[in-house]
Amino acid sequence: MARQKPQAPHSTSLQSRTLILDNGADTIKAGFSSHLDQDNAPGVDQCHIIPNSISHSTRDRRTYIASQLSTCLDFGELAIRHPVENGYIVNWESQKAIWEYEFFDDGAKARRLWCEPRGTNLVLTEQSSAPIAVQRQADEMVMEEFGFGGYARVVGATLSAFASSPFDGAALEAGVPAECLLVIDAGYSHTTVTPLLHGKVLQSACRRLDIGGKTLTNQLKDLISTRQFELQKEDWMANQIKEDVCFVSQDFDSDLERVWRGGMKDRRKIDHSIVVDYVLPDYEEIKRGFARPHDPSSAARKRQLGIGMPREDLVVIANERFSVPELLFTPSDIGMQSEGLVGTILQSLNSLPVGLWQAFLANVLVVGGTSKLPGFVERLESDLRSRLSDDIVLRVAHADDPIKHAWMGGQRLAQDETALKQVIVTREEYLENGDGWMRRKFLGKSGG
């Protein structure tokens, strides 16, 4: 527990600079904003995406902390360790090392991320329903270990309510949240459904599907390893394959039929418009893998075997392209006793008064890196529409930048002094009232 400090003179003054830190399981989205710089228009170019990991290469015997990973030349058998699991920080030593390197190390000045904690406010994101022990550890790290001048711990989805709206004609001033929003966040560890009313989380209606980008990568890795090429130690490579070739099918049964072949005697022809060859990197000549149209010819097989020419390592990706992302909508395919994404959304709505359904369904916002899979938003809208009555208006919008969208909302929030004061606890307030009061304020149970 954070230590109680002697009382200090009461002050609600804000530091002029605010660090917005969207601390995701796979990446950190970080950058600065200021309520004194109203003329500086918010922009995604001010947000830095940083790997939230410490990685060790068995080939060059080096350890890479966060953004150091950009200097790695050989990602083969790269061991990647994330301090965040299932949406919560579980390894605080690793998370502290990453934050120190990215924000307080001398090298952070060149990356434009260095800050002096006492002169900086911090807006830190968390998952809804985070365990109290995790919240307490975060508060202690921020206020005691680093000593920030001001601090706000907020549910990541709430920042999306302050970002520029992707819905047509919905323009809000900085610091003003959207009135009603249903945020679907398809992230790395899981997918969450969060209803927001005037920027506040309706906690009882939050729902979570324990399938995210990591689940899909692991499933693709298992399928390729079982059928063609051993990739169990190649997390980085498997993730790139997923990002390069996977898509969400709009008609799963039809697409499966197009690439299915029962055996040698099955005379059905495979639709090669779906099947692709993925050339694997060797990190010498080929630095990054790439996809190309499938070539079923004997010459292609000779290249793969290295007969009469240099050998080429490749895998043929067919139904894996769409059967892996299908897990988001049909988790039972891997034995999970869970509703798919659409069912999870309906569970959330069923926890709300029926009178609010229309308001939320007309403002469904999709964010998160996994939502960038081609066809994701279209499939979500189609399946959700099929389970609603015809008289309900459904609007589903995909954020312009689904990875940085929450950070953009945090930047707009921090540009409005009045809105920022409502969420920030200054260092003076923390010293005067203690950590218990601060946690109650973050829960909305104490005045600011």
Side-chain angles (χ1 to χ4, degrees):
M1 179 180 290
R3 300 186 300 274
Q4 294 279 359
K5 293 291 188 87
Q7 288 192 356
H10 181 72
S11 172
T12 57
S13 61
L14 296 173
Q15 304 302 321
S16 61
R17 200 178 189 212
T18 300
L19 172 63
I20 298 97
L21 187 58
D22 184 7
N23 202 72
D26 185 42
T27 59
I28 296 171
K29 283 68 68 176
F32 294 98
S33 184
S34 175
H35 59 276
L36 301 179
D37 191 9
Q38 299 290 339
D39 296 331
N40 186 15
V44 293
D45 57 326
Q46 299 169 42
C47 176
H48 301 259
I49 296 182
I50 304 162
N52 195 9
S53 62
I54 296 179
S55 307
H56 179 73
S57 173
T58 57
R59 298 189 179 182
D60 64 15
R61 300 180 184 276
R62 288 185 57 190
T63 297
Y64 300 92
I65 299 175
S67 59
Q68 291 177 349
L69 194 56
S70 63
T71 65
C72 182
L73 300 177
D74 189 337
F75 294 93
E77 299 184 4
L78 185 71
I80 305 172
R81 297 292 179 264
H82 297 277
V84 177
E85 293 181 7
N86 298 320
Y88 309 119
I89 301 174
V90 296
N91 188 329
W92 281 98
E93 286 189 9
S94 295
Q95 192 65 82
K96 180 185 176 185
I98 290 170
W99 287 354
E100 286 180 337
Y101 174 77
E102 293 297 337
F103 308 116
F104 311 122
D105 187 81
D106 288 341
K109 294 179 180 178
R111 297 187 296 272
R112 297 181 297 161
L113 282 173
W114 183 87
C115 71
E116 199 290 307
R118 289 297 174 97
T120 307
N121 305 310
L122 175 67
V123 176
L124 176 66
T125 63
E126 66 171 352
Q127 287 293 322
S128 62
S129 302
I132 294 176
V134 173
Q135 294 177 334
R136 183 180 291 116
Q137 186 71 47
D139 298 344
E140 184 174 347
M141 185 70 70
V142 170
M143 299 303 280
E144 297 285 346
E145 190 76 26
F146 294 125
F148 275 90
Y151 171 48
R153 174 169 42 77
V154 300
V155 174
T158 62
L159 297 182
S160 292
F162 294 90
S164 297
S165 174
F167 295 100
D168 295 336
L172 298 171
E173 297 180 4
V176 178
E179 182 176 357
C180 200
L181 207 60
L182 186 64
V183 180
I184 314 299
D185 187 352
Y188 177 75
S189 300
H190 50 255
T191 302
T192 57
V193 180
T194 309
L196 303 173
L197 192 62
H198 298 291
K200 304 293 184 182
V201 177
L202 301 183
Q203 196 69 51
S204 63
C206 292
R207 293 294 182 271
R208 167 169 156 163
L209 173 65
D210 287 322
I211 294 179
K214 181 180 180 180
T215 312
L216 304 187
T217 298
N218 287 340
Q219 176 70 3
L220 180 62
K221 184 174 61 176
D222 290 344
L223 291 176
I224 294 175
S225 297
T226 301
R227 298 172 180 178
Q228 300 182 62
F229 195 96
E230 177 57 47
L231 288 182
Q232 289 296 347
K233 295 182 179 180
E234 303 289 355
D235 292 350
W236 184 271
M237 190 185 300
N239 191 64
Q240 286 189 334
I241 296 173
K242 179 195 72 178
E243 293 178 351
D244 289 348
V245 304
C246 284
F247 66 91
V248 176
S249 173
Q250 305 306 305
D251 188 339
F252 181 78
D253 292 338
S254 174
D255 284 341
L256 189 60
E257 185 69 23
R258 290 164 64 189
V259 296
W260 179 261
R261 189 172 181 180
M264 295 296 292
K265 296 182 180 180
D266 192 337
R267 296 184 178 276
R268 287 177 295 183
K269 292 185 177 180
I270 292 176
D271 185 348
H272 293 299
S273 67
I274 293 180
V275 183
V276 298
D277 292 339
Y278 195 90
V279 180
L280 303 176
D282 56 15
Y283 300 111
E284 293 180 1
E285 296 296 326
I286 303 174
K287 300 297 184 182
R288 193 191 193 285
F290 61 91
R292 67 187 183 200
H294 177 55
D295 182 358
S297 68
S298 59
R301 288 193 290 273
K302 288 181 180 179
R303 281 199 306 270
Q304 191 173 359
L305 295 172
I307 300 175
M309 61 193 72
R311 178 176 174 175
E312 189 175 60
D313 289 329
L314 63 82
V315 292
V316 179
I317 312 293
N319 62 46
E320 298 91 348
R321 293 186 66 191
F322 56 87
S323 64
V324 168
E326 185 68 19
L327 299 181
L328 289 161
F329 298 89
T330 319
S332 58
D333 287 352
I334 55 172
M336 285 186 63
Q337 301 300 313
S338 173
E339 289 271 11
L341 178 54
V342 173
T344 303
I345 294 172
L346 294 177
Q347 286 179 0
S348 174
L349 290 172
N350 283 325
S351 301
L352 298 169
V354 176
L356 290 176
W357 285 25
Q358 178 60 86
F360 282 112
L361 287 169
N363 295 280
V364 179
L365 174 65
V366 180
V367 299
T370 302
S371 72
K372 296 180 71 174
L373 287 170
F376 178 92
V377 176
E378 293 80 1
R379 172 69 179 278
L380 172 62
E381 184 170 10
S382 173
D383 284 11
L384 187 55
R385 176 74 273 174
S386 69
R387 297 182 65 173
L388 299 173
S389 60
D390 293 338
D391 60 330
I392 291 181
V393 176
L394 175 64
R395 288 195 310 171
V396 179
H398 197 200
D400 294 335
D401 191 326
I403 295 177
K404 297 181 179 179
H405 191 76
W407 183 91
M408 290 286 293
Q411 187 190 44
R412 285 172 59 86
L413 168 67
Q415 285 191 319
D416 184 272
E417 184 176 7
T418 301
L420 190 60
K421 280 185 175 181
Q422 292 177 355
V423 297
I424 286 283
V425 171
T426 66
R427 184 156 194 81
E428 290 80 6
E429 290 175 325
Y430 171 74
L431 294 175
E432 180 177 340
N433 299 293
D435 59 303
W437 175 89
M438 181 173 68
R439 283 196 293 276
R440 288 193 298 274
K441 176 171 180 175
F442 291 157
L443 289 171
K445 298 180 179 179
S446 177

